[in-house]
């Protein structure tokens, strides 16, 4: 009877740990990282879309690296850009950028470490090397 009880307790403990691990709230860092990737991808899609207004070509580049201190200025510039207010996708992107900026300067201010302040690195994204098979 004792080994069965130990096995049952072990099973309950393992299930509890698994449930807690999957239900853990996102950290500030993980939220900022995922939102910056989402914004960067949305911007790329917007740039390549055929149906969007021509003003999109004039928007400031929006490659984001949350480890670069210049990302704050990049977000401010993008949100403040006066053009394309009539394009819904741009307004949605600006709203996401505004949210990311707020999270960076308010909620995550003490949790993030900027590794660089190279503003030029945010102008030309580093492309990943192409792997040859």
């Amino acid at each position: 009877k004792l080994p069965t009880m130990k096995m049952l307790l072990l099973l309950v403990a393992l299930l509890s740990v698994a449930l807690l691990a999957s239900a853990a709230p996102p950290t500030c860092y993980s939220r900022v990282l995922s939102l910056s990737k989402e914004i960067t991808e949305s911007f790329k899609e917007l740039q390549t879309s055929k149906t969007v207004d021509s003003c999109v070509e004039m928007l400031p580049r929006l490659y984001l690296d949350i480890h670069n201190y210049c990302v704050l200025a990049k977000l401010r510039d993008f949100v403040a850009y006066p053009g394309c207010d009539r394009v819904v996708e741009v307004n949605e992107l600006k709203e996401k950028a505004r949210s990311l900026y707020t999270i960076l300067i308010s909620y995550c201010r003490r949790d993030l470490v900027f590794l660089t302040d190279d503003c030029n690195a945010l102008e030309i994204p580093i492309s990943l090397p192409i792997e040859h098979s």
Side-chain angles (χ1 to χ4, degrees):
K1 186 173 183 174
L2 191 58
T4 306
M5 185 62 96
K6 283 184 180 179
M7 288 298 284
L8 184 59
L9 285 173
L10 180 62
L11 181 62
V12 168
L14 288 173
L15 286 173
S16 297
V17 168
L19 287 174
L20 287 174
S22 66
T27 63
C28 229
Y29 177 76
S30 66
R31 177 66 182 129
V32 166
L33 187 61
S34 67
L35 186 54
S36 68
K37 287 180 181 178
E38 181 183 328
I39 291 169
T40 300
E41 287 303 312
S42 294
F43 182 74
K44 285 180 190 175
E45 289 172 12
L46 187 62
Q47 290 282 305
T48 58
S49 175
K50 303 287 187 222
T51 60
V52 177
D53 195 291
S54 61
C55 71
V56 171
E57 295 174 9
M58 304 307 294
L59 287 170
R61 293 179 194 212
L62 198 57
Y63 167 70
L64 303 177
D65 176 4
I66 61 162
H67 303 103
N68 187 333
Y69 185 74
C70 293
V71 74
L72 297 172
K74 176 64 74 174
L75 288 167
R76 276 192 314 265
D77 290 348
F78 186 79
V79 169
Y81 188 77
C84 284
D85 288 339
R86 64 188 177 276
V87 179
V88 174
E89 295 89 348
V90 173
N91 288 328
E92 290 171 354
L93 198 54
K94 283 184 176 186
E95 196 55 43
K96 285 182 186 179
R98 188 177 291 113
S99 295
L100 178 58
Y101 181 81
T102 301
I103 293 169
L104 284 168
I105 65 165
S106 299
Y107 305 110
C108 297
R109 185 170 41 102
R110 292 189 179 115
D111 296 345
L112 296 177
V113 175
F114 295 108
L115 304 175
T116 183
D117 62 353
D118 181 5
C119 296
N120 288 330
L122 295 179
E123 292 302 316
I124 303 170
I126 299 169
S127 57
L128 298 174
I130 299 171
E131 293 182 24
H132 298 286
S133 314

